[in-house]
Amino acid sequence: MPFESVIGLEVHAELLTQSKMFCGCAVVDSTTAEPNRHVCPVCTGQPGALPVVNKRAVEFAIRVGLALNCAVNRVSVFARKNYFYPDLPKGYQISQYELPLASNGWILIDTPDGAKKIRVRRVHLEEDTGKLTHADGYSLVDLNRAGVPLLEIVSEPDLRSVEDVKAYAAKLRTILRYLGVNNGDMEKGVIRFEANVSVRETGTEALNTRTEIKNLNSFRALVNASAYEIARQIKVYERGGAVAQETLGWNEASGKTVSQRSKEHAHDYRYFPEPDIPPLELDPAWVEEIRSNLAELPDAKRERFLAFGLTPYDAGVMVAESHVADYFDEAAKFAQSLKIEPKAVANWILSQLFGLLNESGQEIDQCRATPERLVGLIKMVADGVININTGKSVLSEMFVGGQSAEEIVRAKGLAQVSDESAIVAAIEKAIADNPDQLAAYLGGKETLAKWFFGQVMRAMGGKANPAVIQKKLDEKFVELKRG
Ligand code: ADP
Ligand code: MG
Ligand code: ZN
């Protein structure tokens, strides 16, 4: 019997604030900073130290809540989630439990069957733990990360395939980057996923027992672990067994999920309201102000780009990274002021510029072929000053040196030759030099017309106006055929 998978994701995202969630310590790159240099009595859990909520973190969380179409709750409450772990010096994590900052939202994901709405159950604020490094026979604790603001975003179990899972996770990451609240750098662990996975017979509605896979730090791990777990659970049911509710880890090397513990329950954490922090009460006017300053989100951008005539696929690529979208937006503005179609600009970006970026490993927002310079180049091609192939090499040069297209064309004498007499002379010479090919062409080998075109272009150093070559060559052939 066929099964379908049912998946809900919990996503943890570190917020890009200057300071930590409940103290003034700086948020630093936990992969490079010297360990335990950004700590204080609050984030190391010294007795008597008092936490104070970081307003910027609250603002960022509100941005996310609004962008995910949630209700932002007027009052939310911080709670203590009690457990022991060496990277958690307080013996509890401050999190939000019964009353999260935002709830009941949704986002759209792309699927082969069109857009699909995935419900977001809640968005809440909490703090990150420290970092453990396990060595041979001992472990090291770094508390620089302890107390870094962390946002948890929990979906409803609306995902039905690993493709859904990937699309949802990627979309969420894109939105967080657009909002400027998280840089999306998964290699540094600033976004982490947990997948709750169950399977059920297709056509049934009840939710079956799920397992939870912890600490998935890349899209690859998320997708592979979910796929493995789906297949494993189906096998269990097909054998007539029962899936046990448990917490799993993902072993990248073996490609298998491994049991960590039987599922913990909320009551194991002895949640209770944090006595040192009053309920968080939001001023509705502040929430509205944040709403009115919200960045344009990927779905809205995509609509605008489609209206420029981009294909859905190209528009999707263009909005996936906010820097790319910003670059294109700016280039499109220059293009329109010069009466060039934004679609033409998109083609140059997706084919030529992306190639150069990939080869060099540069980021688009740092590249020297700025939107203005790129459009200047496209304009020269559109005006027939240079042909498209010259344009491509001008772009490569601009990409390295940062000069304008005009400067490059002038300095290298690349302007296209449209002078008919020079082109006609090159055609005469090509024909005189290649009597065998000419005979073959006149004898019916039509493809040689292209070959002659190539000869003429080469003789002109690649700079001739291709339309003029074509026209003059056609005229010459007609003349020769007539005898
Ligand atoms: P907990 O808080 O104990 O982790 P929740 O019920 O709050 O459990 O759910 C956590 C996540 O698990 C949510 O993303 C939710 O969508 C998902 N989930 C809940 N039940 C199932 C299920 N049967 N199958 C798959 N995912 C589920
Ligand atoms: Mg959970
Ligand atoms: Zn601190």
Side-chain angles (χ1 to χ4, degrees):
M1 57 203 143
F3 284 87
E4 73 172 354
S5 43
V6 176
I7 303 153
L9 281 196
E10 294 168 77
V11 178
H12 285 97
E14 280 181 11
L15 296 177
L16 280 173
T17 51
Q18 302 280 310
S19 57
K20 293 189 183 179
M21 187 64 222
F22 302 112
C23 62
C25 292
V27 172
V28 295
D29 182 340
S30 64
T31 62
T32 55
E34 199 182 337
N36 298 309
R37 283 292 177 266
H38 303 274
V39 295
C40 75
V42 174
C43 57
T44 56
Q46 307 301 312
L50 282 178
V52 177
V53 173
N54 179 338
K55 187 173 179 193
R56 190 81 168 147
V58 176
E59 182 192 333
F60 283 1
I62 294 171
R63 277 191 206 167
V64 175
L66 294 171
L68 305 184
N69 305 295
C70 292
V72 173
N73 299 316
R74 181 121 192 217
V75 177
S76 59
V77 172
F78 287 98
R80 288 189 184 178
K81 181 181 185 182
N82 296 282
Y83 65 96
F84 170 80
Y85 213 65
D87 60 10
L88 187 74
K90 290 200 294 290
Y92 58 85
Q93 178 192 32
I94 303 178
S95 180
Q96 295 187 308
Y97 180 54
E98 270 166 304
L99 282 174
L101 184 122
S103 40
N104 298 324
W106 52 267
I107 61 169
L108 294 177
I109 61 167
D110 282 329
T111 75
D113 309 322
K116 178 169 164 186
K117 196 179 253 189
I118 305 299
R119 290 170 302 158
V120 173
R121 180 182 291 178
R122 55 186 279 147
V123 174
H124 73 244
L125 272 167
E126 56 186 38
E127 55 177 335
D128 211 344
T129 58
K131 250 178 88 168
L132 294 177
T133 306
H134 302 292
D136 196 13
Y138 60 93
S139 294
L140 298 166
V141 187
D142 175 11
L143 295 180
N144 283 343
R145 205 180 67 179
V148 167
L150 203 60
L151 201 65
E152 177 164 344
I153 302 163
V154 182
S155 83
E156 293 292 342
D158 289 348
L159 304 161
R160 292 288 172 275
S161 64
V162 291
E163 290 75 22
D164 279 4
V165 167
K166 169 96 193 280
Y168 172 83
K171 184 71 174 277
L172 212 50
R173 175 176 178 273
T174 299
I175 291 173
L176 296 177
R177 281 166 56 89
Y178 268 63
L179 295 172
V181 304
N182 180 284
N183 66 21
D185 192 345
M186 289 187 283
E187 281 176 17
K188 296 205 161 147
V190 301
I191 300 192
R192 283 116 54 188
F193 305 102
E194 287 167 27
N196 294 270
V197 178
S198 67
V199 301
R200 64 185 174 199
E201 277 176 47
T202 307
T204 62
E205 288 299 321
L207 289 173
N208 279 339
T209 305
R210 72 190 147 108
T211 56
E212 178 172 355
I213 318 166
K214 292 271 190 197
N215 287 325
L216 300 166
N217 292 340
S218 66
F219 288 137
R220 221 175 80 98
L222 174 63
V223 163
N224 291 347
S226 303
Y228 176 85
E229 192 53 22
I230 291 165
R232 186 190 69 84
Q233 291 184 14
I234 291 174
K235 259 190 243 145
V236 170
Y237 286 124
E238 282 175 345
R239 280 201 308 264
V243 168
Q245 181 162 345
E246 56 186 347
T247 301
L248 306 170
W250 171 241
N251 185 321
E252 188 80 58
S254 68
K256 289 181 174 159
T257 54
V258 284
S259 182
Q260 292 187 331
R261 52 183 180 263
S262 63
K263 172 69 189 171
E264 76 273 19
H265 292 281
H267 61 248
D268 296 329
Y269 291 116
R270 298 284 188 273
Y271 278 100
F272 63 86
E274 166 61 60
D276 290 336
I277 303 177
L280 180 66
E281 213 181 312
L282 301 179
D283 176 358
W286 186 44
V287 175
E288 284 319 301
E289 188 193 324
I290 295 170
R291 190 197 298 277
S292 61
N293 290 324
L294 220 53
E296 184 185 32
L297 293 170
D299 287 348
K301 264 207 173 35
R302 190 164 178 273
E303 287 306 312
R304 270 199 308 113
F305 291 177
L306 287 172
F308 283 153
L310 269 64
T311 62
Y313 178 82
D314 288 354
V317 173
M318 214 56 108
V319 302
E321 290 291 347
S322 56
H323 290 319
V324 174
D326 291 345
Y327 183 100
F328 175 58
D329 243 341
E330 211 185 322
K333 240 181 264 146
F334 284 119
Q336 285 176 313
S337 71
L338 297 174
K339 305 253 175 320
I340 291 170
E341 290 293 328
K343 167 105 175 78
V345 178
N347 292 342
W348 275 87
I349 294 175
L350 294 170
S351 53
Q352 302 307 315
L353 189 60
F354 271 23
L356 293 167
L357 290 168
N358 280 342
E359 274 170 33
S360 67
Q362 280 184 55
E363 297 294 334
I364 197 166
D365 54 329
Q366 263 125 49
C367 101
R368 307 188 75 177
T370 60
E372 191 174 8
R373 290 183 190 136
L374 175 68
V375 173
L377 164 64
I378 297 171
K379 171 88 172 133
M380 292 187 91
V381 175
D383 289 347
V385 179
I386 50 176
N387 64 35
I388 197 153
N389 279 324
T390 306
K392 289 176 188 172
S393 48
V394 170
L395 178 62
S396 304
E397 187 144 343
M398 169 192 297
F399 188 82
V400 174
Q403 314 92 315
S404 73
E406 279 191 9
E407 282 167 340
I408 296 168
V409 168
R410 203 180 324 115
K412 300 218 146 178
L414 294 175
Q416 162 165 284
V417 179
S418 298
D419 172 2
E420 293 194 358
S421 58
I423 290 173
V424 168
I427 290 174
E428 294 296 348
K429 180 159 192 316
I431 283 173
D433 289 351
N434 298 287
D436 296 348
Q437 279 82 354
L438 181 66
Y441 171 75
L442 294 174
K445 205 169 168 207
E446 293 283 335
T447 53
L448 280 169
K450 265 218 173 75
W451 183 83
F452 274 106
F453 178 98
Q455 295 300 306
V456 176
M457 185 60 102
R458 184 170 329 143
M460 302 288 301
K463 291 188 289 184
N465 183 331
V468 176
I469 301 184
Q470 195 64 61
K471 176 166 160 274
K472 289 291 153 193
L473 200 55
D474 287 347
E475 285 173 11
K476 183 72 194 172
F477 284 148
V478 168
E479 183 191 318
L480 288 169
K481 277 182 190 160
R482 235 194 268 117

